[in-house]
Amino acid sequence: MEYMYIVFVYLQAAAAARVQEVREITRIERIGAHSHIRGLGLDDSLEPRHVSQGMVGQLSARRAAGVILEMIKEGKIAGRAILLAGQPGTGKTAIALGMAQALGIDTPFTSMAGSEIYSLEMSKTEALTQAIRKSIGVRIKEETEIIEGEVVEIQVDRPATGVGTKVGKLTLKTTEMETIYDLGNKMIESLMKEKVQAGDVVTIDKATGKISRLGRSFTRARDYDATGPQTRFVQCPEGELQKRKEVVHTVTLHEVDVINSRTHGFLALFSGDTGEIKAEVREQINAKVAEWREEGKAEIVPGVLFIDEVHMLDIECFSFLNRALENEMAPVVIMATNRGITRIRGTNYKSPHGIPIDLLDRMIIVSTSPYQEKDLKEILKIRCEEEDCEMSDDALTVLTRIALETSLRYAIQLITTASLVCRKRKSTEVNIEDVKRVYSLFLDESRSAQFLKEYQDEFMFNEMEEEPMEVTA
Amino acid sequence: MASQKWLEMIQKAEKKCIIEDGKQKVHYQFSPAEEMVEEYNWETGVLIRRAWRKKNTFGGEGQWDVEIGDPETRFLNLNQVGIKESSSAPFVSRRITKTSLEWRIRNLPYPLSVYTVKAEPESKCITVRTTNKKYFKKLAVPDLERAGLLPEQDKIQFTHKHNTLIITYQKPPEVYGLEKKVLQELKKIKPCKEGDMQCNPS
């Protein structure tokens, strides 16, 4: 009897360990502010569906984005600028990210915030140039070394202390041979992300470390577990594991720049700091790329540069952009701002959106408008789903009211906190009481301002200035 | 003819040579993107080492690709390369002796009866197979290709000892002749003195 019990406990522990492992593999990405966005939510005739792919409402702006998307996909027009203008929390970043998703992974999409260019290591224009060159892809055929085989075993050992580097071994085979490979940390992570397991046929690009799963091996076709209807069966590869293959790569101009700036070498790509790249190197590469294009070896893939909070750029950057957009290699630049008529950074002049008129003149402007109550409810519902939080209908209604009266971002904050409160009282569904509780615990911006007005005398350095302070979102 | 082409390539290349520790070291620059180094035993004129380096498409400096001699040990950080063969995996090193072309495949623990070595003239290579399906390799024979020859089965012999499979291919007279012509070509280069450095060492 006791023996049975021990066996039972052992099995339970093993099962628990397995469950934990599975969870770790599936939940690698964290939930970000815009991780529910999967596209622009348009149909084939570019008409926006009301709720689709994580997008809600904002129909005219999304339609406009769809038209721009077509322009980008055609790839003929270089150096256009688009400005997304609208109040805080009206979905400007969401639309830009939706466009990125809709373009797919083969079109370069660089996302940056206007304030990112201010660095002590790099001049502002260099940072902008790098961002621009990161947004232009070159599609070229290249011979690379790939490893192609069927996975026999993946073994990952974590250090006993829980921290430090993992050690991984991957055994691959073809019909003729079998080899054991040592894995680096990044490779272990991407193998887990791809959920590669024994019996899968994979190819690994040795230069880029990109893993693609071709399918499951026919020899495993009789394993009745874990084969969904979409499972594709392929033959175990033949011959040698390592092959040289011509593959079509899309690399960005920036990557080519980095490879060719001798002082850094291509490892700089991985370590992240690249420093300034000489103008001569760039000129050489432009000439080379033009040559490839003429010979028909390469194709230019103009991408998108998205600059969020574009009012944070200063007058020098704006005039640089003016000039950079005229280059035929320029990408499509999408900017977003939540400012009205305000001072252009670096000057004393005021201008709409804090952008000089001459640059504004070169842009097409898409505006977003505040959400309606109905839309807010849909967005909150989508966020609840994204955060794995179940919410009762009346709680959702209350939360929608809150979003309408304060801000959408505040209401989204309350989802997370309310679901934590709900979990503490061991319930699975968030109800009105939870929402009320967190509403009283956490102040929104206007209540906080109200509070400060009432009690400002008791705070330090409380001499209020005469003119009203500019409120940043 | 293939052998003529190789000889021409050698003649046209920008060559530099130095004699050091009883070895003649030659550097060939075929084109801006392609270079080769060779090391010859100064006394016997036997090639000890030959390595190639090509620039990749985007202009980055490639790694030395060793054709003859022991492969270079690479102390690469595993986290930078991502994936590499485990140190216990078999690896090939090539040698040339006076009479034969040789391959040594180290880290192969299986007995001699497991291996089959076959000349494959259609694909211009020699294949090594194992009956236990643990190892397979296509060995290219660049020396034969340069002389315009195809591999022949009856010139192949192989033995196995100390975890190493040794494959010997009897050197055809054409290859021998070509090597001799190249050596004559190399005799013409004036070797740099050890003092002839291009830059002043600090």
Side-chain angles (χ1 to χ4, degrees):
Chain A
M1 193 61 202
E2 202 179 54
Y3 172 67
M4 283 263 293
Y5 175 71
I6 291 169
V7 167
F8 175 69
V9 167
Y10 169 73
L11 283 178
Q12 220 174 15
R18 209 172 309 137
V19 164
Q20 203 174 13
E21 209 174 273
V22 166
R23 183 169 300 159
E24 197 178 77
I25 290 172
T26 46
R27 253 294 173 214
I28 272 180
E29 294 116 33
R30 302 180 65 202
I31 304 169
H34 294 103
S35 41
H36 59 282
I37 306 288
R38 276 172 279 276
L40 279 175
L42 306 175
D43 61 16
D44 291 338
S45 54
L46 296 184
E47 285 301 326
R49 297 189 205 96
H50 190 74
V51 180
S52 170
Q53 295 186 311
M55 288 286 204
V56 180
Q58 221 63 268
L59 299 180
S60 64
R62 272 161 61 201
R63 171 118 206 233
V67 173
I68 293 163
L69 203 65
E70 282 307 298
M71 178 177 97
I72 298 166
K73 274 185 186 157
E74 263 175 36
K76 286 211 181 96
I77 298 187
R80 285 297 164 83
I82 293 114
L83 179 68
L84 291 168
Q87 293 91 325
T90 49
K92 297 179 296 292
T93 313
I95 286 177
L97 290 176
M99 287 174 81
Q101 298 272 10
L103 280 170
I105 46 164
D106 247 6
T107 312
F109 186 95
T110 318
S111 175
M112 64 182 286
S115 44
E116 260 174 57
I117 58 159
Y118 300 102
S119 150
L120 287 178
E121 287 175 1
M122 215 184 272
S123 70
K124 289 177 275 190
T125 49
E126 170 71 18
L128 270 178
T129 313
Q130 286 197 5
I132 286 173
R133 287 178 79 87
K134 272 181 200 164
S135 324
I136 302 253
V138 182
R139 194 175 294 149
I140 191 167
K141 244 192 218 154
E142 196 197 8
E143 199 179 63
T144 56
E145 221 158 71
I146 61 153
I147 303 171
E148 185 175 67
E150 179 187 328
V151 178
V152 180
E153 193 186 8
I154 305 182
Q155 193 190 338
V156 177
D157 297 325
R158 286 174 189 76
T161 50
V163 285
T165 47
K166 293 177 208 159
V167 184
K169 281 193 191 310
L170 172 71
T171 315
L172 289 176
K173 71 165 186 184
T174 65
T175 49
E176 310 272 6
M177 67 182 293
E178 197 174 302
T179 305
I180 302 170
Y181 291 92
D182 290 334
L183 301 173
N185 236 341
K186 256 191 194 158
M187 192 62 80
I188 294 174
E189 259 162 43
S190 42
L191 278 169
M192 289 198 155
K193 206 170 171 184
E194 287 282 324
K195 296 177 196 142
V196 172
Q197 46 179 327
D200 287 342
V201 177
V202 293
T203 59
I204 302 172
D205 187 330
K206 257 188 126 180
T208 60
K210 200 175 149 253
I211 298 169
S212 33
R213 256 173 66 180
L214 302 181
R216 286 199 56 86
S217 169
F218 268 118
T219 48
R220 299 282 185 140
R222 263 187 249 153
D223 295 4
Y224 27 80
D225 59 330
T227 52
Q230 316 90 322
T231 313
R232 209 173 66 177
F233 287 101
V234 290
Q235 292 289 356
C236 180
E238 290 173 355
E240 281 175 283
L241 271 165
Q242 289 201 34
K243 291 167 195 161
R244 294 192 74 83
K245 236 190 195 173
E246 280 228 313
V247 287
V248 179
H249 269 239
T250 308
V251 291
T252 66
L253 280 182
H254 176 67
E255 283 168 327
V256 184
D257 286 351
V258 172
I259 291 170
N260 281 280
S261 52
R262 195 56 50 83
T263 44
H264 303 290
F266 89 111
L267 286 177
L269 265 187
F270 299 102
S271 62
D273 77 4
T274 44
E276 297 226 352
I277 291 166
K278 283 189 196 127
E280 300 95 78
V281 174
R282 291 213 169 103
E283 265 162 40
Q284 265 177 26
I285 286 159
N286 285 352
K288 193 85 190 228
V289 169
E291 193 183 301
W292 286 337
R293 197 157 58 148
E294 264 172 37
E295 289 167 6
K297 274 197 214 157
E299 200 185 320
I300 304 283
V301 190
V304 177
L305 170 61
F306 172 54
I307 309 178
D308 210 348
E309 313 279 336
V310 70
H311 48 263
M312 292 308 288
L313 298 183
D314 62 9
I315 186 76
E316 291 160 39
C317 299
F318 286 127
S319 75
F320 176 80
L321 271 181
N322 257 344
R323 167 112 176 68
L325 285 175
E326 280 167 8
N327 191 325
E328 60 157 3
M329 292 271 248
V332 171
V333 182
I334 300 178
M335 305 177 213
T337 179
N338 52 23
R339 298 297 160 92
I341 296 172
T342 180
R343 212 164 53 84
I344 302 168
R345 191 168 169 165
T347 66
N348 284 320
Y349 300 107
K350 285 197 169 179
S351 181
H353 311 296
I355 299 171
I357 303 282
D358 57 340
L359 183 57
L360 269 178
D361 197 27
R362 287 164 206 242
M363 297 201 253
I364 36 182
I365 301 172
V366 177
S367 73
T368 56
S369 50
Y371 286 110
Q372 302 301 310
E373 185 168 351
K374 200 174 60 177
D375 300 337
L376 287 173
K377 196 167 187 175
E378 285 298 335
I379 295 173
L380 289 172
K381 214 191 267 174
I382 290 171
R383 284 305 296 183
C384 282
E385 237 165 70
E386 187 68 22
E387 295 186 21
D388 271 338
C389 164
E390 268 180 51
M391 191 172 282
S392 66
D393 282 340
D394 45 355
L396 193 64
T397 315
V398 169
L399 206 57
T400 313
R401 282 297 318 163
I402 293 175
L404 200 62
E405 265 150 40
T406 64
S407 80
L408 178 59
R409 287 210 171 96
Y410 176 70
I412 288 174
Q413 307 265 38
L414 291 191
I415 295 176
T416 325
T417 43
S419 92
L420 280 174
V421 168
C422 152
R423 212 183 300 159
K424 275 284 160 266
R425 68 180 174 88
K426 300 206 168 54
S427 166
T428 52
E429 199 185 54
V430 177
N431 61 19
I432 292 193
E433 291 309 308
D434 297 326
V435 176
K436 275 187 185 157
R437 179 92 193 277
V438 287
Y439 183 73
S440 63
L441 277 177
F442 303 105
L443 296 183
D444 60 280
E445 169 263 319
S446 66
R447 272 189 295 159
S448 173
Q450 184 65 35
F451 179 79
L452 286 186
K453 269 180 204 148
E454 276 170 34
Y455 295 97
Q456 57 170 306
D457 300 341
E458 287 153 45
F459 282 83
M460 281 179 71
F461 309 123
N462 62 335
E463 298 124 283
M464 282 291 270
E465 68 271 52
E466 291 83 55
E467 57 172 337
M469 208 173 57
E470 194 185 335
V471 180
T472 22
Chain B
M1 227 177 95
S3 62
Q4 204 58 45
K5 212 169 128 201
W6 173 244
L7 204 59
E8 236 168 60
M9 207 169 138
I10 295 277
Q11 277 166 344
K12 274 193 195 149
E14 196 183 303
K15 294 179 286 276
K16 270 188 216 123
C17 114
I18 185 172
I19 295 166
E20 206 177 54
D21 323 322
K23 284 183 236 165
Q24 184 184 19
K25 301 181 179 176
V26 195
H27 178 264
Y28 304 80
Q29 189 86 48
F30 295 116
S31 67
E34 196 177 20
E35 50 184 330
M36 176 178 94
V37 286
E38 282 182 338
E39 282 176 25
Y40 289 90
N41 186 322
W42 182 234
E43 249 106 75
T44 58
V46 171
L47 183 67
I48 310 167
R49 202 170 159 73
R50 177 186 286 152
W52 293 81
R53 182 162 71 173
K54 283 177 193 159
K55 284 208 172 135
N56 65 20
T57 328
F58 302 114
E61 201 113 283
Q63 299 222 313
W64 283 102
D65 202 359
V66 179
E67 185 188 311
I68 284 165
D70 287 326
E72 264 173 70
T73 42
R74 284 178 188 156
F75 300 98
L76 280 176
N77 187 349
L78 190 55
N79 282 330
Q80 275 171 0
V81 285
I83 186 165
K84 67 176 180 190
E85 285 183 2
S86 120
S87 53
S88 63
F91 66 94
V92 185
S93 72
R94 273 198 64 200
R95 286 184 193 183
I96 290 189
T97 65
K98 275 225 138 138
T99 54
S100 60
L101 312 171
E102 252 183 42
W103 289 263
R104 278 153 201 266
I105 308 178
R106 300 182 205 278
N107 284 343
L108 273 181
Y110 322 110
L112 184 61
S113 58
V114 169
Y115 309 100
T116 32
V117 181
K118 253 178 83 182
E120 310 224 350
E122 310 89 65
S123 47
K124 293 181 185 168
C125 66
I126 294 172
T127 53
V128 182
R129 276 171 225 272
T130 45
T131 50
N132 59 6
K133 304 289 180 204
K134 290 289 183 195
Y135 188 72
F136 172 84
K137 183 90 188 164
K138 283 183 177 170
L139 301 167
V141 203
D143 295 276
L144 291 185
E145 258 175 66
R146 280 168 205 144
L149 300 172
L150 293 175
E152 290 165 48
Q153 184 67 42
D154 51 359
K155 290 202 163 88
I156 298 174
Q157 280 177 324
F158 60 100
T159 57
H160 182 266
K161 56 185 169 195
H162 311 306
N163 273 355
T164 305
L165 179 73
I166 305 168
I167 304 165
T168 7
Y169 188 94
Q170 202 189 319
K171 205 189 267 182
E174 290 92 335
V175 174
Y176 191 70
L178 185 60
E179 277 177 3
K180 225 172 171 182
K181 277 184 202 157
V182 171
L183 262 181
Q184 275 169 0
E185 202 60 44
L186 294 183
K187 288 274 177 338
K188 290 184 203 160
I189 326 169
K190 198 175 134 266
C192 308
K193 297 269 158 43
E194 237 169 293
D196 289 352
M197 281 209 171
Q198 284 173 340
C199 60
N200 297 325
S202 52

